[in-house]
Amino acid sequence: MPIIKSAKKRVKVSAKANDRNKETKNRLRTALKSFTNAISSKKGVSEAFSEAQSAVDTAVKKGILHKN
């Protein structure tokens, strides 16, 4: 457990960021899975594609995925 005040704050801040990153990663994985399932079933591909593209763009914007 940290003793210094700034280290305590960093623990809290990093825990919040970790939770946000997990949520974004989970949404990304879900969108990609639904897109691959839509491709295999050939139903709702355009909707699944737009969701997956949006999830990827959000993850890139938040720094979870690399831009390229």
Side-chain angles (χ1 to χ4, degrees):
M1 197 65 197
I3 298 171
I4 299 170
K5 188 175 181 179
S6 62
K8 290 179 184 178
K9 183 178 178 182
R10 287 305 307 166
V11 168
K12 289 180 185 178
V13 170
S14 66
K16 284 182 183 179
N18 191 12
D19 291 340
R20 279 193 306 265
N21 289 341
K22 280 184 185 178
E23 185 177 328
T24 305
K25 286 179 187 178
N26 191 16
R27 286 183 186 163
L28 175 66
R29 280 191 226 111
T30 304
L32 292 177
K33 284 180 186 177
S34 66
F35 177 59
T36 55
N37 290 339
I39 289 174
S40 64
S41 67
K42 298 179 182 175
K43 291 184 180 179
V45 176
S46 62
E47 293 174 11
F49 176 73
S50 63
E51 282 185 33
Q53 188 176 17
S54 176
V56 169
D57 289 343
T58 302
V60 168
K61 184 173 75 174
K62 293 187 176 194
I64 295 170
L65 288 178
H66 193 271
K67 187 177 179 179
N68 289 335

